[in-house]
Amino acid sequence: GEPAEIRGRLVQQVTAPVANATLAVEIPQSLTRQCQRIAAILRERQSQAGVKTVAVASAATGEGKTSTVLGLAQALTRMGANRVLVVDADLCQSTLHETIRAKPAAGLIDILSDERRKAPPIVLHPSLHVLLAGRASTHPVVDLNSESLRALLKQCATHYDWVLVDTPAMSLLDDDADVVGRLADGIV
């Protein structure tokens, strides 16, 4: 694994939110209800098995992963989570910044490529923060499979009640779709 000092530097980059944004799309009521049900199950899994980091995945693009991860984050904050971090790990076709009406900014890929780079999360709500993907990744599967990403997510889980990971569509990962399963304690 990586030395503790590197992991510590990585997490320092994402624990001091600075900017604000808003959701650009209304989450449909039917999705909101489903997210509330899933959030209740996740809370139960957290109390039983310590689940804190959850990846949201789907087979193809356009199936609603980003809306689902934001809906889950909102549901968890409504259920009392004090700190929820959404991490945009869709390093293939990120749209989260558009969904929350944020300008593209430094984010996950920038931190992974340079531990000294700062990429503070965006504040959607005092309890809900978002770490954008950042610049385009030239090797998304390599970045998703990196020890640095796993260490960052693990450290973020010590600072947040929940870390929700918006992932690339499985179809874009070729034969490496199992990489998503290694990012989190659970997958939705």
Side-chain angles (χ1 to χ4, degrees):
E2 295 178 320
E5 62 201 48
I6 292 176
R7 288 193 306 269
R9 271 200 317 259
L10 287 171
V11 80
Q12 287 173 2
Q13 308 309 330
V14 297
T15 55
V18 296
N20 292 308
T22 59
L23 287 174
V25 294
E26 187 82 20
I27 296 176
Q29 188 65 26
S30 59
L31 179 57
T32 299
R33 282 192 300 275
Q34 291 303 319
C35 287
Q36 289 168 342
R37 289 183 185 120
I38 294 168
I41 293 167
L42 290 175
R43 285 187 58 184
E44 184 177 321
R45 293 297 303 145
Q46 187 178 62
S47 68
Q48 293 173 346
V51 171
K52 287 187 83 172
T53 305
V54 177
V56 177
S58 73
T61 59
E63 292 185 329
K65 288 181 306 301
T66 298
S67 296
T68 301
V69 78
L70 290 170
L72 277 174
Q74 289 178 335
L76 288 166
T77 59
R78 285 187 196 118
M79 292 177 163
N82 292 319
R83 293 178 55 85
V84 176
L85 176 66
V86 172
V87 177
D88 186 356
D90 186 347
L91 304 179
C92 297
Q93 295 181 335
S94 173
T95 60
L96 185 59
H97 67 282
E98 295 167 356
T99 305
I100 63 170
R101 294 185 183 161
K103 293 180 182 174
L108 178 62
I109 196 66
D110 303 289
I111 295 170
L112 295 178
S113 63
D114 179 3
E115 290 90 19
R116 295 176 306 271
R117 179 93 188 245
K118 293 206 182 284
I122 292 169
V123 177
L124 288 180
H125 178 275
S127 310
L128 176 52
H129 304 163
V130 176
L131 176 63
L132 298 177
R135 64 179 167 79
S137 172
T138 53
H139 303 288
V141 172
V142 171
D143 293 325
L144 289 169
N145 208 17
S146 72
E147 182 59 35
S148 293
L149 177 56
R150 284 191 290 281
L152 176 66
L153 293 174
K154 186 175 183 175
Q155 285 295 311
C156 287
T158 67
H159 294 277
Y160 286 88
D161 299 328
W162 290 96
V163 178
L164 304 177
V165 185
D166 190 9
T167 66
M170 299 293 183
S171 62
L172 299 177
L173 298 176
D174 299 319
D175 295 329
D176 299 303
D178 63 332
V179 71
V180 172
R182 292 189 294 267
L183 291 178
D185 303 325
I187 299 176
V188 173

